[in-house]
Amino acid sequence: MPNAFIRKLQSFGSLVENDISALQGLTANARNVPARSDLIREGDRPGPMFVVLDGWAQRYKILPNGTRQIVAFLLPGDACDLHVGTLAEMDHSIQTVKAARVATIGSGIMERVMDHHPNIQRAMYRAQLTDEGTLRAWIVSMGRRSSIERVAHLMCELYLRASRIGLVHGEGFELPLSQIALADALGMTPVHVNRVLKDLRTTNAMEVRRGTMIIANPVALAQIAGFDENYLHRRMRQAN
Amino acid sequence: MPNAFIRKLQSFGSLVENDISALQGLTANARNVPARSDLIREGDRPGPMFVVLDGWAQRYKILPNGTRQIVAFLLPGDACDLHVGTLAEMDHSIQTVKAARVATIGSGIMERVMDHHPNIQRAMYRAQLTDEGTLRAWIVSMGRRSSIERVAHLMCELYLRASRIGLVHGEGFELPLSQIALADALGMTPVHVNRVLKDLRTTNAMEVRRGTMIIANPVALAQIAGFDENYLHRRMRQAN
DNA sequence: CGACGAATTGATCTCGGTCAACTTTGGTGG
DNA sequence: CCACCAAAGTTGACCGAGATCAATTCGTCG
């Protein structure tokens, strides 16, 4: 079975045998990385591109006042584009959340492969657009949603993404995020995240137990999140 | 002189004569669009891709509760990628802010051109990555910056972007955004935007007069915004 | 067992939102 | 050229969602 990166790209456009073996070659050097290791740090010169084959990672930025903002979660199959030499230095860091398996693709190599494999090029471009959509959704959440809506929305997003890559088993999936991490992703304080989670738990919408998120009532959760009805149903159905 | 779109792509990688004439052909059908016209609406099927050649546009989303979140500003040269058929329907709308000149590139046509022009492909990909960086910066602002920092940061961003495309004249540049629009971009209320602008005005950092933003003290503004010192200096210098 | 990080809960505070009035600006038509 | 109108800007009074501060409790791992 092809790895998570290949599977993700395949979902964005058909790849031929030749494309797949190229990707296989690119990711052959995958290594295991322990939890909470920085793959690259803010200020570093953008180096290689990383691909998460297994486990979770996150992009984050530490502000001058010491607070942290997580800007994206990277699930298996996700690639960390590093501005491919456009920028002089990284404006944020990338770190594993839990133990992960990540492949490293030397800068320039990916571009060369894309030049020779239009299918890969196209799939990467589309993956990029999808990521952008996720970023926009985060901005909407942070700007105009209440804290409970924000939490619910992030959970819906993660649930959807997890289910697309086959990480949902039964009613739940592994959520290796502390309340501190959630707070830093949602622009809230850990204390308030805790209270909101309690709310969601007592209203039987969802629950996090020992690193596993359980969505007891997906419809209720999506309604709290303010998911567009149509959007929700289409996606939730196709996901299952 | 090539149009703003071509100039922007050139800044991301060299284009040959052949590439440029292809782009010229793509944007030959540019038309004038009055202010506040929707180019495409949430729920529409993603159609063509739009390129702003002159004027301002914005991406925004209206939430179920009626509030609006602006997710990006599009300046001359910026393209509105529309998920190229990945998504069944738009999850946000795109609208002109002021009278603008926009070219329409049929869906599929851009992909075909990119397949035949690797230089364009590469430049588009890099432009995409840059846009993503901007989105991440917005998330950081909304999550972890105070209202005055947020306002100052957005102003720094717009100033930088305007200066890169030659829109800064003397100490200021045209800012066709009402306080309502700023509020919707920053996740604040118009009332509070007004107060923050007053603050910035009385501390002589910056000022908006009749649609023109004047940065009296760029260093002070950047300090308020929490711009990374190095980042600031490098960029601000290269911009002038 | 001991210890440290994370989760939980209560008390209190504050930044920014809400509500409401009034002023300024810019555009339109008589 | 001015009267009028709508939209945007401005200001004050008050409120509340979420932050802050602080104290336990819980879980896990050496």
Side-chain angles (χ1 to χ4, degrees):
Chain A
M1 170 140 114
N3 66 44
F5 182 46
I6 296 173
R7 274 178 278 144
K8 180 180 176 184
L9 290 185
Q10 278 178 318
S11 77
F12 283 113
S14 54
L15 304 178
V16 298
E17 194 56 50
N18 185 21
D19 301 324
I20 292 176
S21 59
L23 290 171
Q24 212 94 54
L26 285 175
T27 51
N29 70 352
R31 67 190 202 281
N32 293 316
V33 181
R36 291 165 187 272
S37 333
D38 277 321
L39 299 176
I40 190 166
R41 281 206 190 79
E42 182 171 350
D44 288 354
R45 293 199 46 201
M49 159 174 148
F50 300 105
V51 177
V52 178
L53 297 181
D54 201 21
W56 284 51
Q58 60 194 2
R59 295 178 188 260
Y60 69 95
K61 182 176 177 72
I62 305 285
L63 299 192
N65 63 22
T67 58
R68 180 176 73 151
Q69 178 65 44
I70 294 172
V71 160
F73 290 115
L74 301 162
L75 270 53
D78 292 339
C80 327
D81 299 291
L82 298 172
H83 293 269
V84 202
T86 309
L87 274 188
E89 56 179 62
M90 290 292 290
D91 63 344
H92 65 277
S93 307
I94 301 178
Q95 179 182 71
T96 54
V97 172
K98 52 175 272 193
R101 186 164 181 73
V102 344
T104 306
I105 302 176
S107 86
I109 294 180
M110 191 65 202
E111 284 209 332
R112 195 149 57 250
V113 167
M114 289 196 291
D115 282 347
H116 291 58
H117 297 265
N119 291 333
I120 294 178
Q121 175 81 267
R122 189 180 311 114
M124 284 291 292
Y125 186 71
R126 287 178 178 176
Q128 198 71 17
L129 291 177
T130 303
D131 290 351
E132 248 192 71
T134 305
L135 291 178
R136 277 195 286 267
W138 279 40
I139 291 174
V140 171
S141 271
M142 316 211 72
R144 294 295 184 213
R145 280 196 253 261
S146 69
S147 58
I148 191 169
E149 292 168 340
R150 273 222 288 293
V151 171
H153 203 276
L154 178 61
M155 292 305 157
C156 287
E157 177 206 317
L158 292 177
Y159 175 79
L160 214 54
R161 289 173 61 189
S163 75
R164 281 204 197 112
I165 55 179
L167 255 37
V168 172
H169 304 297
E171 51 183 348
F173 67 96
E174 191 198 349
L175 186 79
L177 301 173
S178 67
Q179 294 180 2
I180 294 173
L182 288 175
D184 285 342
L186 293 162
M188 302 166 46
T189 56
V191 172
H192 200 60
V193 166
N194 182 283
R195 293 183 169 127
V196 169
L197 287 177
K198 186 181 174 186
D199 268 14
L200 289 169
R201 203 185 313 132
T202 55
T203 56
N204 288 316
M206 54 151 284
E207 174 173 12
V208 182
R209 263 204 311 252
R210 259 169 305 165
T212 298
M213 184 169 84
I214 294 154
I215 302 196
N217 190 341
V219 174
L221 189 67
Q223 259 163 5
I224 292 170
F227 256 67
D228 181 313
E229 280 293 328
N230 296 329
Y231 181 81
L232 162 71
H233 286 298
R234 188 165 359 101
R235 296 321 174 81
M236 282 299 202
R237 232 186 296 123
Q238 119 184 8
N240 289 326
Chain B
M1 171 142 112
N3 65 44
F5 183 46
I6 296 174
R7 274 179 278 146
K8 180 179 177 187
L9 290 185
Q10 279 178 318
S11 76
F12 283 112
S14 54
L15 303 179
V16 298
E17 194 57 49
N18 185 20
D19 300 324
I20 292 177
S21 59
L23 290 172
Q24 212 94 55
L26 285 175
T27 51
N29 70 351
R31 67 190 201 283
N32 292 317
V33 181
R36 292 164 187 271
S37 333
D38 277 321
L39 298 176
I40 190 167
R41 280 205 190 80
E42 182 171 351
D44 288 354
R45 294 199 47 202
M49 161 173 147
F50 300 105
V51 177
V52 178
L53 298 181
D54 201 22
W56 283 51
Q58 60 194 3
R59 295 179 189 260
Y60 69 95
K61 183 177 175 70
I62 305 285
L63 299 189
N65 62 23
T67 57
R68 179 176 73 153
Q69 178 65 44
I70 293 171
V71 160
F73 290 115
L74 303 163
L75 271 54
D78 291 340
C80 327
D81 299 291
L82 298 173
H83 291 270
V84 203
T86 309
L87 274 188
E89 57 179 61
M90 290 292 292
D91 62 344
H92 65 278
S93 307
I94 301 177
Q95 177 183 74
T96 54
V97 171
K98 52 174 276 193
R101 187 164 180 73
V102 343
T104 306
I105 302 176
S107 86
I109 293 180
M110 191 65 201
E111 284 209 333
R112 196 150 55 248
V113 167
M114 289 196 290
D115 282 346
H116 290 59
H117 297 265
N119 290 333
I120 295 178
Q121 175 81 268
R122 188 181 311 115
M124 284 292 290
Y125 186 71
R126 287 179 177 175
Q128 199 70 19
L129 291 177
T130 303
D131 289 352
E132 247 191 72
T134 304
L135 291 178
R136 278 194 285 267
W138 279 41
I139 291 174
V140 171
S141 271
M142 315 211 73
R144 293 298 183 210
R145 280 197 252 262
S146 69
S147 58
I148 191 168
E149 292 168 341
R150 275 223 288 292
V151 172
H153 205 275
L154 178 61
M155 293 304 158
C156 286
E157 178 206 316
L158 292 177
Y159 175 81
L160 214 54
R161 290 174 61 190
S163 76
R164 283 207 195 109
I165 54 178
L167 256 36
V168 172
H169 305 297
E171 52 183 347
F173 67 96
E174 190 198 349
L175 185 79
L177 301 174
S178 66
Q179 294 181 0
I180 294 172
L182 287 175
D184 285 342
L186 293 162
M188 302 168 44
T189 55
V191 173
H192 200 60
V193 165
N194 182 283
R195 292 184 169 125
V196 169
L197 287 177
K198 186 181 173 186
D199 268 14
L200 289 169
R201 202 186 311 132
T202 55
T203 57
N204 287 317
M206 54 151 287
E207 173 174 12
V208 182
R209 264 205 310 252
R210 259 169 305 169
T212 298
M213 184 169 84
I214 294 155
I215 302 196
N217 190 342
V219 174
L221 188 67
Q223 259 164 5
I224 293 170
F227 256 67
D228 181 312
E229 280 292 329
N230 296 329
Y231 180 81
L232 163 71
H233 286 298
R234 190 166 357 102
R235 297 322 173 80
M236 283 299 202
R237 232 186 296 122
Q238 119 186 6
N240 289 326

